[in-house]
Amino acid sequence: SLFQRKKKCSEFPREEPRRDRARRVASMSSSSSLAFGASALSARQNAATRGSRTTRAQQQQQRQKEGRFIASTSRTVHQSSVVVKASEDDIDLDDIAQAIEELAKENERLRMSLEGEEAEEETEEEAEATMTATAVATLPKPAATAAPATTPDDADPVKPASSGAVSAFGVPELTEDPKRHRGFKFPPLEGDGFGVCAVDGTLEHHKGHLGHRWEKFKNLRQAIEDNEEGGIEAFSRGYEKMGFTRNEETGEITYREWAPSAKAACLFGDFNNWATDANGLWMNKNDFGVFEVTVPPNADGSPGIPHGSRVKIHLETQDGSWVDKIPAWIKFAVQAPGNIPFDGIYYDPPKEEQYEMKWARPEAPEELRIYEAHVGMSSREPKINSYIAFADEVLPRIKNLGYNAVQLMAIQEHAYYASFGYHVTNFFGVSSRCGTPDELKYLVDKAHSMGISVLMDLVHSHSSSNATDGINMFDGSDGQYFHSGPQGYHWMWDSRCFNYAEWEVLRFLLSNLRYWMEEFKFDGFRFDGVTSMMYKHHGLQVAFTGNYDEYFGMATDVDAMVYLALANDMLHTLYDGNVTTIAEDVSGMPTLCRPVHEGGVGFDYRLQMAIADKWVEVLSEWGSDEGWEMGNLVFTMENRRYGEKCISYAESHDQALVGDKTTAFWLMDAEMYTNMSTLSADSPVVTRGIALHKMIRQFTMGLGGEGYLNFMGNEFGHPEWIDFPRGDRVEASTGEFIPGNGNSYHLCRRRFDLPETDHLRYKFLEAFDAKMNRVAGFFKYMASDHQYTSLKDDGDKMIAFERGDCVFVFNWHPCNSYSDYRIGCKKAGKYKLVLSSDNPEFGGWDNLSTHHDNSYFADSTAHNGRPASFQAYIPSRTVAVFALEEDVERVGYTYGDEYVSRVVEVSNDNV
């Protein structure tokens, strides 16, 4: 099955997932049963299957509807559709196999017809259980139940026929044809690339640079499109030609590798006893520097390279020395226990072991609420977590918290775990620490079944300098994938910098994007280190002041800018409406988030990195709350380029790393370990910390950008920093000795148990985060063009602004509460309080609560430049969100009862 590993492919022991242990059915004794579910396995393997979640009554009702009856045992067996008993003496495997196929077909029909009905009838409390059932139903189907090759005359030839089933969250089945883009021709570019000047008049002074960039982009795009290989669409599917590919008809395995400086190459591995002599698989080199060899199937028809075999390429360099490398396009690499180097793995499991993705991609959200996550550290226990455990245990949390996208870090293989995934060694390889490629597909598919978009934290800005496991010095030369000399070395990161003008580098990187989009159905990318890419100085020791000469001059790496535009153009052309791209840029490069056809670089969003830095400055340097500058806070939130969308965040993984502090830690410091219990007396430090933590996050989401990001655990004020397991080492760039932590995982996990403990105040922060997302999800104010700040009063410490249909009011004063405080708004009418940080379920004092303070009437009294206004009681250190009653009804917003029942009553003595 999907979760049963080939021994060669997984050389290190792995704990069996809880879900598998709970559902595993023994079939070794005479009294054992074969359970047949949505995905029956071969009886010849004596493997049990996971059963359908349909009940006996539902099955019988369906059988009666279809005029059929299937005999069943008299004994009730939960979560099994049909049970067939057989003794050891009379088992006929061929009969059983035929029965499996027939029963699997019947069970599939039953599941499809009932799944839609179950989704409508289930309560929210049953949703998580049903989610597990629908995920089980996505396991690979046996060949007998595969859809016929022919389609009805009226079927869409591009999309496979759908059964009409939906997930528990209303997501339809996946109907993407994997060959839907074949032969697609990119439309010619129109315009002169100066459309960006209409949005930003200052760019008129830099048309020379912009025109040069546009011409390079246009010419390169056309050169790839006119190439005899088949244009951009085929060019960007290099993973189907390079590396290992298997011919479905002949069974031959072909291996191709671009290594122009190498004089000779030999493929070797477990499959040929690592032979590099005359009996080795020596490769032929063509005029373009590509080595190639074909491995025929064995005489018995089995693959010439078995799935799970260790493989490497043996290369002779220009100076006559020999090096052994992991193939550059390898899709899986593992580090055996006790070994330092990684081994490349030929990953090609048989069809029945491959995970078949089932659920459709979500459309790109109109306003992003991103949950930034690292799979490896997502466990509550001090260990490396798995893709399966993340899918089953963390994704439901993300859904319940109201995030509509998850951004996964460290997916590309990286030999050094503590690099947080940013020192990539194998760009097409799935990080093996957390599982196999098929298990990652399960994670992505389960997220899609919940309607959650999955973004990858992608590293194309640099590569690990590791020449043993990675692509550095691959063919023995310094400049194969990278610039030669100092230009190709990032001295601060100790990494290599790509040469974006090289044809094969473009193929490698563009194909990498397509690989993750096509094979794993990712929904977009957060491009890491974009600032480093765009400038030859990599943004190091440079203070960007906003002067446009800093952006458009000799320091700009135009080739990198052209690559980024080409990547965005390709993604948004092929996956229009279903892809999101985000740039991590601290420089504020103009045009970065304008469409490519205007002359922009084409990203959908940039990370608004200045906001997190501002909050660190406020909490570490501004002193007492009375000295906080309201105008300064508002300016930082609003300081972004017109027409270029931003992702705001109060803190990300950067602030959670050891050596830095999270917002919660800045606010509460050591008292997070001693005074977070509701059973003990209130601490002024914790009370202040909880109040400001909520306000800071809502202020950032409400005013800081067109999207929002949170790093996992920070939603409830995770009390521990992140410290990856590491030994003592010497910093390569400085020679400084850096002590390790004994390779401990104790601080490389997430304590999700803390907000689940009713007597701990962490639950208040998590509850507010969920409601904050709920309000944003209904009103979608971050996607609105309407944003107006009507009040920023340093005396009262008050800020009020409108965003979309909502009015946000913040009282930052540490002790002053205001009765009948007048708030300007754009329209008269009856306003409802839709969110208050003072609600008791958020650790508030219930002085301003959605449970009883609900209606406010705005008249035509102009105030603070607004045509209407209303009056409200605004307690100190609170945020309140109001909306017109008609808008509340229009969007269908309800407060919901989540988290309300979790409030723990405490005695007055402790308040």
Side-chain angles (χ1 to χ4, degrees):
S1 75
L2 167 66
F3 308 114
Q4 291 173 327
R5 302 284 183 83
K6 286 292 186 180
K7 186 174 182 180
K8 289 182 180 179
C9 189
S10 182
E11 299 182 12
F12 41 85
R14 185 181 300 275
E15 180 183 356
E16 183 181 20
R18 289 188 301 171
R19 190 178 63 164
D20 298 348
R21 292 200 299 270
R23 297 178 185 174
R24 184 156 39 87
V25 182
S27 57
M28 303 301 293
S29 67
S30 60
S31 61
S32 59
S33 303
L34 294 176
F36 308 110
S39 175
L41 303 179
S42 171
R44 297 182 187 276
Q45 298 174 339
N46 287 327
T49 64
R50 297 159 179 80
S52 167
R53 284 294 184 113
T54 56
T55 64
R56 175 183 295 273
Q58 290 171 324
Q59 291 173 18
Q60 292 179 344
Q61 181 181 10
Q62 182 66 21
R63 295 170 191 147
Q64 293 171 0
K65 289 181 180 179
E66 298 183 2
R68 299 186 181 90
F69 180 78
I70 299 176
S72 57
T73 60
S74 58
R75 181 180 177 183
T76 301
V77 181
H78 293 291
Q79 298 181 0
S80 296
S81 300
V82 184
V83 175
V84 179
K85 291 188 176 180
S87 68
E88 289 178 324
D89 300 326
D90 58 3
I91 290 180
D92 186 317
L93 294 178
D94 289 331
D95 289 344
I96 292 176
Q98 183 177 359
I100 288 174
E101 293 179 357
E102 293 299 318
L103 292 170
K105 291 178 183 177
E106 181 66 17
N107 193 61
E108 184 66 3
R109 286 193 291 269
L110 293 174
R111 186 187 64 78
M112 291 298 188
S113 62
L114 291 171
E115 195 171 49
E117 298 175 9
E118 291 176 344
E120 295 178 355
E121 296 172 355
E122 285 173 354
T123 63
E124 289 186 23
E125 290 77 9
E126 298 169 326
E128 182 175 347
T130 306
M131 183 60 245
T132 305
T134 57
V136 172
T138 66
L139 290 173
K141 299 177 178 61
T145 63
T150 59
T151 57
D153 293 337
D154 59 348
D156 186 339
V158 177
K159 296 182 179 180
S162 170
S163 66
V166 296
S167 74
F169 298 92
V171 176
E173 286 187 309
L174 178 67
T175 56
E176 278 185 4
D177 183 346
K179 298 182 179 181
R180 65 197 181 283
H181 295 310
R182 302 298 165 92
F184 177 83
K185 303 301 293 182
F186 276 62
L189 291 171
E190 298 180 357
D192 54 11
F194 296 140
V196 291
C197 297
V199 180
D200 184 352
T202 309
L203 295 173
E204 292 281 351
H205 303 293
H206 300 276
K207 277 189 171 182
H209 184 101
L210 293 171
H212 171 65
R213 189 175 84 187
W214 174 258
E215 287 300 316
K216 288 199 70 168
F217 164 70
K218 185 173 66 173
N219 293 338
L220 177 60
R221 183 183 189 269
Q222 196 60 48
I224 299 175
E225 187 64 17
D226 293 342
N227 189 271
E228 62 184 12
E229 296 182 64
I232 297 172
E233 195 283 320
F235 183 79
S236 61
R237 283 188 285 107
Y239 57 88
E240 295 181 354
K241 183 177 181 180
M242 303 298 290
F244 292 95
T245 59
R246 179 172 53 83
N247 188 305
E248 295 282 354
E249 297 180 358
T250 66
E252 293 178 333
I253 298 170
T254 300
Y255 170 56
R256 298 184 182 92
E257 195 73 73
W258 177 62
S261 292
K263 296 164 62 175
C266 177
L267 173 65
F268 67 147
D270 291 331
F271 68 97
N272 69 348
N273 294 318
W274 301 93
T276 58
D277 54 17
N279 297 320
L281 285 175
W282 290 93
M283 306 174 71
N284 297 317
K285 185 179 182 181
N286 68 15
D287 295 338
F288 300 99
V290 176
F291 286 90
E292 179 177 335
V293 68
T294 298
V295 183
N298 297 321
D300 61 0
S302 61
I305 306 177
H307 164 58
S309 297
R310 294 178 297 168
V311 291
K312 284 193 175 182
I313 183 172
H314 189 58
L315 293 160
E316 182 184 11
T317 65
Q318 286 293 317
D319 63 4
S321 62
W322 292 87
V323 293
D324 298 336
K325 296 288 187 176
I326 295 175
W329 297 70
I330 200 72
K331 298 184 172 92
F332 199 48
V334 301
Q335 184 181 35
N339 285 5
I340 295 177
F342 275 62
D343 291 310
I345 300 294
Y346 176 69
Y347 191 85
D348 187 20
K351 192 73 175 178
E352 63 271 14
E353 293 183 18
Q354 297 175 18
Y355 182 80
E356 180 183 344
M357 302 189 78
K358 179 173 181 179
W359 303 111
R361 304 175 189 265
E363 293 184 359
E366 57 183 309
E367 46 91 37
L368 275 172
R369 301 185 302 280
I370 303 171
Y371 195 84
E372 185 184 29
H374 185 288
V375 173
M377 68 168 64
S378 64
S379 173
R380 303 168 189 228
E381 305 299 325
K383 65 177 184 179
I384 296 177
N385 211 11
S386 70
Y387 298 124
I388 295 172
F390 184 92
D392 293 344
E393 299 167 11
V394 182
L395 280 179
R397 292 184 57 85
I398 297 172
K399 181 66 177 179
N400 291 338
L401 285 168
Y403 292 92
N404 58 13
V406 57
Q407 180 178 298
L408 296 179
M409 307 174 65
I411 294 299
Q412 296 167 293
E413 187 59 89
H414 47 291
Y416 183 43
Y417 187 48
S419 73
F420 230 136
Y422 291 123
H423 278 226
V424 174
T425 45
N426 311 112
F427 284 79
F428 290 83
V430 170
S431 181
S432 59
R433 292 180 180 87
C434 301
T436 69
D438 284 288
E439 291 168 340
L440 175 60
K441 290 180 180 180
Y442 168 75
L443 186 163
V444 175
D445 201 36
K446 186 158 187 177
H448 285 172
S449 75
M450 297 176 172
I452 297 174
S453 296
V454 186
L455 309 178
M456 177 190 283
D457 198 341
L458 182 89
V459 183
H460 279 187
S461 52
H462 64 129
S463 173
S464 171
S465 59
N466 180 340
T468 301
D469 305 307
I471 62 174
N472 183 28
M473 305 290 291
F474 186 85
D475 64 356
S477 69
D478 182 42
Q480 181 186 358
Y481 286 96
F482 314 105
H483 290 290
S484 297
Q487 188 180 356
Y489 181 70
H490 197 296
W491 61 266
M492 178 171 283
W493 295 345
D494 183 28
S495 59
R496 299 302 311 277
C497 302
F498 285 105
N499 179 0
Y500 300 102
E502 169 60 54
W503 187 268
E504 291 302 326
V505 172
L506 290 172
R507 185 200 306 276
F508 185 78
L509 296 177
L510 291 175
S511 297
N512 194 235
L513 295 171
R514 289 292 303 281
Y515 176 69
W516 297 114
M517 290 292 294
E518 290 290 336
E519 297 298 316
F520 294 87
K521 312 300 181 190
F522 275 92
D523 303 298
F525 305 96
R526 178 259 199 193
F527 282 70
D528 175 68
V530 170
T531 302
S532 175
M533 296 174 70
M534 295 190 299
Y535 305 98
K536 295 175 184 177
H537 52 59
H538 307 303
L540 301 177
Q541 299 177 329
V542 174
F544 290 97
T545 65
N547 186 319
Y548 277 37
D549 291 335
E550 298 168 350
Y551 305 123
F552 306 111
M554 297 303 294
T556 305
D557 189 334
V558 177
D559 291 329
M561 300 289 287
V562 167
Y563 163 68
L564 291 172
L566 190 63
N568 277 299
D569 180 55
M570 179 193 74
L571 290 170
H572 288 97
T573 299
L574 295 177
Y575 306 99
D576 184 35
N578 292 97
V579 66
T580 299
T581 58
I582 304 169
E584 187 212 24
D585 170 43
V586 71
S587 73
M589 166 67 77
T591 76
L592 189 63
C593 298
R594 294 303 301 175
V596 172
H597 69 266
E598 293 182 0
V601 185
F603 283 101
D604 295 299
Y605 300 87
R606 90 169 77 229
L607 286 177
Q608 186 72 319
M609 303 176 72
I611 294 178
D613 293 339
K614 174 57 68 175
W615 285 125
V616 172
E617 175 192 324
V618 170
L619 297 176
S620 63
E621 301 176 13
W622 278 23
S624 65
D625 301 1
E626 289 87 350
W628 286 20
E629 302 172 11
M630 301 296 99
N632 193 323
L633 292 178
V634 170
F635 174 80
T636 302
M637 298 298 148
E638 296 181 338
N639 184 24
R640 53 188 186 272
R641 296 195 178 280
Y642 175 76
E644 299 193 40
K645 295 190 293 185
C646 292
I647 301 293
S648 65
Y649 58 95
E651 53 188 341
S652 68
H653 68 272
D654 289 325
Q655 287 71 40
L657 283 169
V658 62
D660 209 331
K661 288 185 178 182
T662 63
T663 303
F665 220 97
W666 278 114
L667 289 167
M668 295 177 278
D669 206 30
E671 293 206 21
M672 296 182 71
Y673 300 108
T674 58
N675 293 322
M676 291 297 281
S677 173
T678 60
L679 305 179
S680 62
D682 266 5
S683 157
V685 172
V686 171
T687 299
R688 171 184 180 268
I690 288 178
L692 290 179
H693 191 276
K694 294 179 290 185
M695 295 180 70
I696 286 171
R697 299 173 78 80
Q698 179 63 87
F699 190 63
T700 302
M701 174 187 273
L703 199 58
E706 289 72 30
Y708 178 77
L709 177 143
N710 164 67
F711 179 68
M712 66 175 184
N714 287 351
E715 68 274 9
F716 61 83
H718 198 285
E720 295 174 347
W721 56 83
I722 297 167
D723 192 9
F724 282 92
R726 51 190 171 82
D728 299 341
R729 68 183 181 89
V730 175
E731 176 60 43
S733 60
T734 63
E736 179 188 2
F737 173 78
I738 300 177
N741 62 4
N743 290 307
S744 171
Y745 288 87
H746 180 72
L747 295 177
C748 195
R749 56 175 174 159
R750 294 284 89 179
R751 295 291 306 276
F752 292 122
D753 56 304
L754 296 178
E756 295 173 358
T757 304
D758 268 341
H759 69 273
L760 295 181
R761 291 184 167 93
Y762 295 102
K763 67 177 182 177
F764 297 144
L765 300 179
E766 181 181 85
F768 181 79
D769 197 75
K771 287 297 188 233
M772 180 177 72
N773 278 313
R774 182 178 177 86
V775 171
F778 272 92
F779 289 95
K780 293 183 170 48
Y781 54 78
M782 286 188 288
S784 172
D785 291 332
H786 177 68
Q787 177 175 315
Y788 188 92
T789 301
S790 61
L791 175 66
K792 40 189 176 182
D793 190 317
D794 269 334
D796 291 346
K797 300 299 176 193
M798 291 287 294
I799 295 174
F801 60 85
E802 301 162 17
R803 190 79 191 271
D805 297 320
C806 296
V807 179
F808 296 79
V809 183
F810 291 80
N811 182 355
W812 297 93
H813 204 285
C815 54
N816 288 354
S817 299
Y818 304 105
S819 298
D820 299 326
Y821 202 90
R822 187 166 291 278
I823 307 296
C825 55
K826 64 178 179 179
K827 190 176 180 180
K830 182 180 180 181
Y831 281 78
K832 307 288 285 187
L833 179 65
V834 296
L835 180 66
S836 170
S837 64
D838 202 39
N839 271 28
E841 60 268 29
F842 308 142
W845 301 95
D846 205 23
N847 291 320
L848 179 68
S849 170
T850 58
H851 302 308
H852 49 75
D853 300 306
N854 213 359
S855 297
Y856 301 82
F857 295 90
D859 56 27
S860 57
T861 302
H863 186 70
N864 285 339
R866 308 310 289 146
S869 62
F870 62 90
Q871 292 176 288
Y873 172 63
I874 309 296
S876 65
R877 285 188 180 142
T878 61
V879 51
V881 184
F882 303 88
L884 275 170
E885 185 176 53
E886 60 193 66
D887 291 326
V888 172
E889 295 172 353
R890 176 179 52 81
V891 302
Y893 175 76
T894 56
Y895 183 77
D897 294 327
E898 302 92 342
Y899 300 101
V900 176
S901 61
R902 297 186 56 210
V903 177
V904 176
E905 297 294 337
V906 295
S907 70
N908 290 333
D909 293 338
N910 290 332
V911 175

